[in-house]
Amino acid sequence: MIAIPLNNSNTLNNDLLEPLKEFIKDIITKYKMSKIDKQLNSIIETFEPLKDRDIIIQNEEDVARFEKFSNELADLEDFLENLEDLQIDNEVIQNKIDKALDIVVPLNCRIAGNLADFEMRDLCK
């Protein structure tokens, strides 16, 4: 707990107000960085095991599932690119954004390629 001295009129002294504002701003920034860091860790932990897995599309049900998954990955990619555009002044966070993009983008490209291959195979039947 922080003790805030008050002057005789029970109002915050301006000399104390600015440091208090900065302190609160720092706490909010650290909280936001912590939340972003946790989200990035979750993305990496979830999708990294998938990046080298085979993507097998054999029927229309697979097509529907992978199209939905691909759309979700595209949304995630947009989120990561927007986060990257913020140019957060934290090297660890920036490295995690880059790592997540290095996982999500190729995974989505492989899915899109396999969906296109299935469509071509289907047309050639």
Side-chain angles (χ1 to χ4, degrees), residues 67-85:
E67 282 177 344
K68 182 178 180 199
F69 185 51
S70 179
N71 289 335
E72 290 169 358
L73 285 174
D75 290 344
L76 182 56
E77 183 180 341
D78 288 345
F79 166 76
L80 291 168
E81 287 173 349
N82 288 334
L83 206 52
E84 186 176 51
D85 289 345

Side-chain angles (χ1 to χ4, degrees), residues 62-119:
D62 291 342
V63 169
R65 277 196 349 253
F66 278 106
E67 282 177 344
K68 182 178 180 199
F69 185 51
S70 179
N71 289 335
E72 290 169 358
L73 285 174
D75 290 344
L76 182 56
E77 183 180 341
D78 288 345
F79 166 76
L80 291 168
E81 287 173 349
N82 288 334
L83 206 52
E84 186 176 51
D85 289 345
L86 293 175
Q87 297 181 344
I88 296 169
D89 189 24
N90 182 313
E91 189 175 341
V92 172
I93 297 288
Q94 286 293 0
N95 288 339
K96 287 182 180 183
I97 293 169
D98 292 341
K99 184 175 182 175
L101 281 167
D102 288 345
I103 294 167
V104 170
V105 173
L107 177 61
N108 205 18
C109 287
R110 284 185 37 237
I111 291 171
N114 286 16
L115 284 167
D117 288 348
F118 178 80
E119 293 298 323

Side-chain angles (χ1 to χ4, degrees), residues 8 15 21 23-24 26-27 30-31 36 42-43 47-48 50 56 58 67 80 90 94 96 102 110-112 123-125:
N8 291 339
D15 296 346
K21 284 181 184 177
F23 177 74
I24 292 170
D26 286 347
I27 289 174
K30 287 176 185 172
Y31 174 75
I36 290 169
S42 177
I43 291 167
F47 293 103
E48 193 165 36
L50 302 177
I56 301 170
Q58 297 176 338
E67 282 177 344
L80 291 168
N90 182 313
Q94 286 293 0
K96 287 182 180 183
D102 288 345
R110 284 185 37 237
I111 291 171
L123 288 173
C124 294
K125 287 183 182 177

Side-chain angles (χ1 to χ4, degrees), residues 5-70:
L6 300 175
N7 61 19
N8 291 339
S9 64
N10 285 337
T11 60
L12 280 175
N13 186 335
N14 279 341
D15 296 346
L16 297 172
L17 194 55
E18 278 308 309
L20 183 60
K21 284 181 184 177
E22 285 301 312
F23 177 74
I24 292 170
K25 186 177 166 184
D26 286 347
I27 289 174
I28 291 170
T29 300
K30 287 176 185 172
Y31 174 75
K32 287 179 182 177
M33 287 299 119
S34 173
K35 296 282 276 183
I36 290 169
D37 186 54
K38 286 177 185 176
Q39 284 181 313
L40 290 169
N41 285 339
S42 177
I43 291 167
I44 292 167
E45 289 169 9
T46 301
F47 293 103
E48 193 165 36
L50 302 177
K51 76 178 189 183
D52 295 324
R53 287 188 127 178
D54 291 335
I55 298 168
I56 301 170
I57 301 173
Q58 297 176 338
N59 55 46
E60 290 301 321
E61 289 174 356
D62 291 342
V63 169
R65 277 196 349 253
F66 278 106
E67 282 177 344
K68 182 178 180 199
F69 185 51
S70 179

